[in-house]
Amino acid sequence: MSRFGIQSLRANSRSTFIYVLFGMLIIVFIFTFGTNGPSGCGTSVVSPLVTVYDDVIDARRLTLADSLAPRSQGWWSRTRFVLQPAYAEDVQTLNQLEVMAASRLPIDSPAFESKGWLRFSGFRRATQSGDDDKTLFLINDLVEASLVAREARALGLKASRREIEDRILFDGLYDPDTGVISKESMQNFLSSLGTTKEALASFMADEILREKMIQLVAATVVVSDAEIDAAWSAMNDQVRFEYVGFDPKKLAPLVPVTAEEIAVAAKDSTAIKAWYDGHKGDFQRARATKIRTLLIAAPSQAAIDAEADATKKQDMSAKRADAQQKASELATAIRAESDPEKRREAFTSAVSENSNDEDTKALGGLRDDLLTESDLSEEINPEVAKAAIALEKDGLSAVVAAETGFWLLLCDDVRIEKNLSVEQATDAIAPQVAKESKAKAWSEAEAKSLLAAVKNGTSLEDAVKAWNADHKPKGDTIPGGPTQAEPPVAEKEQGASETKKTDGTTPDSDAKDPAGDGANANEVKATQKADGDATTTPAEDTLPTPKAKTEAAEGTANGADTESGTPQLKLDTTTLKLNAGDRIPGTIELDAPPKPSVGFSGALRVSKSPLFGQRQSHTFASGDFDFPASATAEQIAADRPVDADDEQWAKVPGVGVNPELMGRLFSSTQEKPLIDKVYASEDGQRFYVIQLSERKAPEISDDTAQEKAEMQRKLRAQRQREAYKAWYVGILAAAEAKGGIQFEETYKTLLEQVIQKQQRRTGAQGK
């Protein structure tokens, strides 16, 4: 006797938990559909939901469907009720991976001889309105079962008593002593489902007839050898193309803008605020320091105060006083060195000989990060943090007393604080907003200009070189945009007399007066507050050395645009007038990643696609029950069969779905490789100039026959499921046109509740 196998539900049909669970479910439906709702397996009248011709789908049938439906709502498990179908042997072993794999096999596959309950996996109706709500989803499935069963009966198909009993009866219903069905067990089972034997038999009959109709529809699907030969050729006839991409985001810094356009952008407060919020780190950041530390350990004052033994207390106090004296002597000796380099050498020597801070002793006391005051408080303690953050570059602290002992601090570098409001930053942001607003149209126009040059006989490589030469930015990219006069910037070398910024970029040039204090950018002065010397400046605001001034005059030390497409706002080091020790307040610096090898951000380059076929392998889903146990739902879904109207076959690598471009690539030749049209990416945000690079003809091998057989199997499986889906769309539309489907008031009330729930959810997400 085959088992019914609705997982543990039916195997434990006498469980008190099951009774309580379904009792609660029935109560929910009573409240939902009124006092005439289902009550156990009684015969009271229940409000109808949908009428399909003469078949009334009511709340009781919906309750039964919910009891028998798969628990997961992932698309791969949406096979049918009772885990496709209910009479499965060892159905507890059924899992989503098997259901997925089974949906990749033709309905007559030999694999189903041992796992027949998986035969109808993947045969699903098309998605309908309301399917995102579980209750409406189940109602749509019940309508499908009713309509399809009606069509089956019209063709003379029947569900036999034996077929129905095979779905309903399972080992747990039989008395182990007599081998006869136990009335008590059967009644308990039916009560747990909130149904009657007749209603359950009718439900199963519709499911059986649906499966028989699926088999009839699937039998009409034929995939010819000629079609497979063509598909195989389409997969193995491959091309590679060269392309030049115009990305408005990266090219935005190169877009020329006028003073009038910048003025208009400056008045667009919404755009200015959005740009400011998106780059807030460029305008607001805490002061940070790269610090060296030396610790002379000593008993804590708290421990001394708490010590009850007078002798020990005196000894601990003496040790703390000695430590303080030692730290003071070291500070005096280090401070005696006026030269910054010699002072650093003296400090590191003192660390190696005296420091009790084992974490930094081997590094000369250096904490190799720029740290804010909060970072230092967490890493060391608040007293040290407060003293460290107040130091200027090369400044030496006084002795700092702490619970762990006495600290000396030497500042290696400083990143200045920024705290600019959106109003203060508007003059710097407006050019960027103006450029970005024009970038898309400008990029498309530039792509068409490059294509025209190639059409006129220039090679793609030479056209790109010429474009890059024409668009090399000057150091001054604001407000009028770049010109070709200046070469790309060379990053300054770091030397003893010249400090490179900690993020690898060069000093800022051509900034406005973002602080709004009236100071001219060429005559900025400030007071440095170093404890020792006032001869050096913070790392990110390095003063121009004679070498830097010379390089700048030769056009090799101005700032370059970053790879991210964001321009650097820099101070002009060729005209900046500063006295030794002056700081540059409020400088806007946009941190940059390493510069691209081509010389400047936004520079074009010729790239190549991978080899790919006109029909790609992902359009043929993998089959068999062969998914690894470690596969994730996302990995499985990525290999989902495509629908008949899916255009993923035309997905051009790097560009996206574009059937026209796909066709032109495979019709181009080595003699005429250029695609004489600029194509946009699938999202419309990038533009491409494309030409054929390589064509690889299909190669027949020993595995070709097997590859074609596998393709034919997979394509048949896909087409069979598409055929059923399309057939059901037709009969559903015909029934609706004839008025054969009537949604009752109870259903409309339920639908209204679902809509309200979705609106509340949408509103909550929008807050």
Side-chain angles (χ1 to χ4, degrees):
M1 176 65 64
S2 61
R3 297 169 57 195
F4 189 76
I6 310 180
Q7 299 190 35
S8 59
L9 171 63
R10 297 179 181 178
N12 298 281
S13 60
R14 301 185 186 186
S15 167
T16 302
F17 171 76
I18 295 298
Y19 298 159
V20 173
L21 177 65
F22 284 100
M24 291 174 64
L25 184 62
I26 292 168
I27 291 171
V28 169
F29 275 95
I30 290 174
F31 277 103
T32 302
F33 301 111
T35 56
N36 288 330
S39 57
C41 53
T43 58
S44 60
V45 177
V46 179
S47 299
L49 295 168
V50 185
T51 302
V52 181
Y53 292 103
D54 56 352
D55 182 22
V56 178
I57 298 172
D58 57 23
R60 185 177 290 119
R61 196 186 305 185
L62 177 59
T63 303
L64 177 60
D66 183 69
S67 302
L68 304 180
R71 295 299 94 192
S72 171
Q73 291 302 303
W75 79 266
W76 57 87
S77 66
R78 290 181 176 182
T79 49
R80 278 304 287 183
F81 304 115
V82 293
L83 293 176
Q84 185 60 41
Y87 62 86
E89 297 238 0
D90 296 324
V91 76
Q92 290 88 342
T93 64
L94 183 63
N95 59 57
Q96 294 172 357
L97 302 183
E98 285 187 321
V99 172
M100 166 66 78
S103 70
R104 314 300 176 79
L105 298 173
I107 201 168
D108 57 352
S109 171
F112 294 130
E113 292 178 4
S114 60
K115 295 190 177 185
W117 60 89
L118 290 167
R119 187 181 302 276
F120 301 97
S121 297
F123 284 93
R124 297 293 298 158
R125 58 179 172 76
T127 301
Q128 294 173 236
S129 175
D131 275 352
D132 54 347
D133 178 82
K134 180 184 177 183
T135 301
L136 298 184
F137 177 89
L138 291 175
I139 292 174
N140 286 337
D141 270 2
L142 290 171
V143 171
E144 176 195 3
S146 180
L147 269 178
V148 174
R150 185 175 187 275
E151 293 291 321
R153 292 186 181 97
L155 294 175
L157 299 178
K158 295 180 179 180
S160 69
R161 178 178 177 179
R162 176 60 184 273
E163 289 173 322
I164 294 172
E165 288 180 348
D166 281 347
R167 300 291 176 103
I168 295 176
L169 303 180
F170 62 101
D171 292 346
L173 298 178
Y174 289 82
D175 187 314
D177 297 327
T178 64
V180 178
I181 294 175
S182 166
K183 291 184 178 180
E184 180 183 0
S185 296
M186 174 62 79
Q187 188 59 46
N188 289 340
F189 169 59
L190 294 172
S191 296
S192 71
L193 297 177
T195 190
T196 64
K197 183 177 180 180
E198 292 74 20
L200 182 58
S202 175
F203 186 98
M204 291 303 175
D206 282 357
E207 287 297 299
I208 292 168
L209 290 174
R210 175 182 173 276
E211 291 169 4
K212 291 185 177 183
M213 277 305 306
I214 287 174
Q215 289 179 306
L216 282 181
V217 173
T220 65
V221 173
V222 176
V223 178
S224 68
D225 291 343
E227 182 179 2
I228 291 300
D229 289 342
W232 183 87
S233 296
M235 288 175 59
N236 291 276
D237 179 14
Q238 298 180 317
V239 298
R240 189 195 308 276
F241 62 86
E242 295 177 319
Y243 65 95
V244 179
F246 288 76
D247 186 341
K249 290 183 179 179
K250 291 186 176 181
L251 294 177
L254 305 181
V255 177
V257 290
T258 65
E260 290 77 13
E261 289 169 330
I262 294 174
V264 171
K267 295 177 182 178
D268 187 348
S269 58
T270 301
I272 294 291
K273 180 66 164 57
W275 205 95
Y276 178 88
D277 290 341
H279 303 77
K280 192 163 287 187
D282 300 328
F283 305 106
Q284 294 183 347
R285 68 184 183 193
R287 181 180 175 88
T289 182
K290 183 175 286 188
I291 204 79
R292 292 177 186 268
T293 57
L294 184 157
L295 170 64
I296 304 300
S300 72
Q301 190 60 52
I304 295 172
D305 294 340
E307 179 57 55
D309 187 296
T311 302
K312 290 182 179 179
K313 189 182 189 90
Q314 184 177 2
D315 181 59
M316 292 168 67
S317 296
K319 287 182 179 179
R320 186 166 178 85
D322 290 344
Q324 184 175 14
Q325 179 64 29
K326 184 176 182 179
S328 297
E329 291 172 355
L330 289 172
T332 301
I334 296 168
R335 201 183 306 279
E337 298 290 352
S338 59
D339 180 76
E341 287 301 315
K342 290 183 179 180
R343 177 181 290 183
R344 186 172 290 106
E345 290 174 4
F347 190 93
T348 56
S349 177
V351 168
S352 63
E353 295 174 6
N354 301 282
S355 182
N356 299 118
D357 185 4
E358 298 300 331
D359 291 340
T360 62
K361 189 171 183 176
L363 301 173
L366 182 64
R367 295 180 180 272
D368 196 22
D369 280 306
L370 276 167
L371 301 173
T372 64
E373 183 172 356
S374 62
D375 294 334
L376 287 165
S377 292
E378 183 177 346
E379 189 169 312
I380 308 176
N381 61 57
E383 295 85 359
V384 170
K386 186 175 181 180
I389 209 68
L391 292 174
E392 298 295 347
K393 180 173 167 57
D394 295 323
L396 179 68
S397 73
V399 175
V400 181
E403 286 296 291
T404 52
F406 299 90
W407 295 81
L408 283 178
L409 315 170
L410 181 70
C411 178
D412 265 23
D413 222 338
V414 170
R415 184 188 70 191
I416 65 172
E417 177 184 9
K418 293 180 182 178
N419 189 21
L420 299 176
S421 67
V422 65
E423 292 77 16
Q424 291 171 320
T426 293
D427 285 350
I429 295 173
Q432 316 315 314
V433 172
K435 288 170 180 286
E436 290 178 4
S437 67
K438 293 178 61 177
K440 184 175 180 180
W442 184 82
S443 297
E444 184 176 14
E446 289 296 311
K448 291 178 179 179
S449 176
L450 186 80
L451 177 62
V454 179
K455 283 182 178 180
N456 289 334
T458 305
S459 71
L460 190 59
E461 289 280 359
D462 288 344
V464 166
K465 289 178 181 178
W467 192 95
N468 286 339
D470 288 343
H471 294 81
K472 285 180 180 177
K474 290 178 62 179
D476 178 9
T477 61
I478 299 174
T483 70
Q484 63 186 35
E486 293 289 336
V489 177
E491 191 175 84
K492 294 196 300 180
E493 296 180 357
Q494 183 176 12
S497 61
E498 174 183 27
T499 306
K500 188 172 75 171
K501 295 197 302 184
T502 57
D503 62 2
T505 59
T506 54
D508 284 6
S509 66
D510 200 32
K512 298 284 186 181
D513 174 25
D517 57 7
N520 187 283
N522 293 331
E523 296 182 355
V524 180
K525 295 188 178 182
T527 302
Q528 189 177 27
K529 298 178 181 179
D531 174 71
D533 301 303
T535 57
T536 53
T537 57
E540 293 202 7
D541 297 309
T542 306
L543 294 178
T545 63
K547 176 182 177 183
K549 289 185 177 182
T550 302
E551 291 175 342
E554 294 172 353
T556 62
N558 288 319
D561 292 319
T562 70
E563 177 65 25
S564 64
T566 306
Q568 295 287 316
L569 309 181
K570 300 179 179 299
L571 291 170
D572 186 351
T573 56
T574 63
T575 59
L576 184 64
K577 299 176 182 178
L578 289 162
N579 297 324
D582 284 351
R583 290 182 56 203
I584 304 170
T587 305
I588 300 177
E589 300 162 3
L590 305 184
D591 297 334
K595 297 178 177 60
S597 59
V598 292
F600 66 95
S601 174
L604 302 182
R605 55 182 63 87
V606 179
S607 303
K608 285 189 177 182
S609 75
L611 276 168
F612 66 99
Q614 189 166 8
R615 176 147 192 178
Q616 297 163 50
S617 59
H618 72 264
T619 60
F620 291 92
S622 58
D624 297 327
F625 306 116
D626 56 2
F627 283 101
S630 61
T632 65
E634 290 77 12
Q635 290 169 333
I636 296 170
D639 194 30
R640 179 183 179 180
V642 295
D643 294 332
D645 58 351
D646 199 326
E647 291 186 334
Q648 290 301 306
W649 64 269
K651 190 169 186 177
V652 179
V655 177
V657 173
N658 194 316
E660 179 185 321
L661 176 58
M662 180 70 83
R664 297 193 67 174
L665 282 168
F666 280 88
S667 62
S668 58
T669 64
Q670 295 290 355
E671 292 73 27
K672 293 184 177 181
L674 184 66
I675 307 299
D676 59 353
K677 177 181 175 180
V678 170
Y679 281 92
S681 59
E682 189 172 353
D683 61 7
Q685 297 303 308
R686 295 175 302 282
F687 305 94
Y688 298 94
V689 175
I690 299 171
Q691 70 178 17
L692 179 69
S693 173
E694 179 185 350
R695 186 76 176 261
K696 182 177 179 290
E699 297 178 358
I700 305 296
S701 69
D702 294 340
D703 298 327
T704 299
Q706 182 177 349
E707 290 173 2
K708 290 183 177 181
E710 183 72 3
M711 287 175 61
Q712 190 169 44
R713 177 181 68 77
K714 293 177 181 178
L715 191 56
R716 279 187 64 228
Q718 181 178 327
R719 292 271 180 84
Q720 286 174 350
R721 286 155 179 84
E722 291 169 353
Y724 173 74
K725 184 183 294 185
W727 174 80
Y728 178 67
V729 167
I731 67 166
L732 178 62
E736 290 174 337
K738 296 175 183 177
I741 301 177
Q742 297 294 325
F743 294 97
E744 308 297 341
E745 288 301 319
T746 309
Y747 175 88
K748 294 175 183 178
T749 300
L750 178 62
L751 179 61
E752 181 64 26
Q753 293 172 352
V754 169
I755 292 173
Q756 291 175 357
K757 181 173 67 174
Q758 292 173 340
Q759 289 173 342
R760 287 194 299 270
R761 185 186 303 124
T762 302
Q765 292 172 347
K767 292 181 179 178

